[in-house]
């Protein structure tokens, strides 16, 4: 959906909502020191920073003018 100009804004909104909905799971994983394949997960601060970066990327990709694509 993000690569199709007609659906990019809707896909970006849906992905942003999904990232926001998944954030409490990230907080839980960080606070309970869960592991992935025996390796410790990131603490809450790096997870929050990554979440903000991913949100910004999704929003920018979905709502920036498509001038680069059309020119």
């Amino acid at each position: 959906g993000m690569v199709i100009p007609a659906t990019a804004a809707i896909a970006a909104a849906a992905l942003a909502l999904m990232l926001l909905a998944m954030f409490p799971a990230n907080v839980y994983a960080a606070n309970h020191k869960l592991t992935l394949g025996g390796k410790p997960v990131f603490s809450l601060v790096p997870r929050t920073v990554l979440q903000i970066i991913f949100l910004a990327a999704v929003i920018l990709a979905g709502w920036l003018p498509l001038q680069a694509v059309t020119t």
Side-chain angles (χ1 to χ4, degrees):
M2 292 289 292
V3 296
I4 302 169
T7 61
I10 295 170
L15 285 170
L17 288 173
M18 182 191 71
L19 286 169
L20 290 172
M22 290 174 55
F23 187 68
N26 282 325
V27 172
Y28 179 87
N31 287 338
H32 288 83
K33 302 192 183 339
L34 299 182
T35 61
L36 290 173
K39 297 179 183 178
V41 297
F42 289 122
S43 65
L44 188 56
V45 173
R47 284 174 174 266
T48 303
V49 171
L50 279 173
Q51 192 83 7
I52 292 169
I53 291 170
F54 290 149
L55 271 170
V58 164
I59 291 169
L60 288 173
W63 285 298
L64 277 181
L66 298 174
Q67 294 174 2
V69 175
T70 58
T71 56

